[in-house]
Amino acid sequence: MTASTTTMPHQLAVRLGIKYSNALALLADIEAEGVCEMKLLIYHNCEPDVPAGAIPYGIGFPDLPWICPHCESIVENYDELSFDLMATSKESIEFV
């Protein structure tokens, strides 16, 4: 796998040929070691392929009501949102 400063658990799982849960555990471990920072990406139904926000991983889901910065709708139900994770490091990490 080529070195990168950002990755998502599903990308890492595919590239390394491991389960999603193992990729997530790996990223959580390297975050705990201070190598990367994990973010919870927030997606709204108005633009489901574009993150509408991000918060630090581990603090939970965003408080509701939440205002979507894309469409300015007030979100009062988590059913309107979806989530993903992204790890970002200051230096490139290469998995071999």
Side-chain angles (χ1 to χ4, degrees):
M1 180 173 167
T2 59
S4 179
T5 57
T6 62
T7 192
M8 300 172 90
H10 66 272
Q11 294 170 329
L12 188 60
V14 169
R15 290 180 181 152
L16 296 178
I18 61 177
K19 294 178 182 179
Y20 177 88
S21 59
N22 291 339
L24 180 56
L26 178 61
L27 291 174
D29 283 346
I30 63 173
E31 181 190 39
E33 293 294 324
V35 176
C36 71
E37 181 179 278
M38 295 278 286
K39 295 278 186 183
L40 178 68
L41 302 179
I42 305 164
Y43 297 84
H44 184 233
N45 291 344
C46 71
E47 290 191 54
D49 297 329
V50 180
I55 57 176
Y57 174 68
I59 65 166
F61 293 103
D63 293 331
L64 296 180
W66 182 80
I67 299 173
C68 175
H70 295 302
C71 67
E72 299 181 358
S73 292
I74 297 173
V75 177
E76 295 184 359
N77 189 321
Y78 286 117
D79 291 341
E80 295 181 46
L81 302 175
S82 59
F83 304 94
D84 206 349
L85 298 168
M86 178 178 280
T88 304
S89 63
K90 293 180 182 174
E91 298 181 25
S92 296
I93 299 172
E94 184 175 4
F95 294 93
V96 292

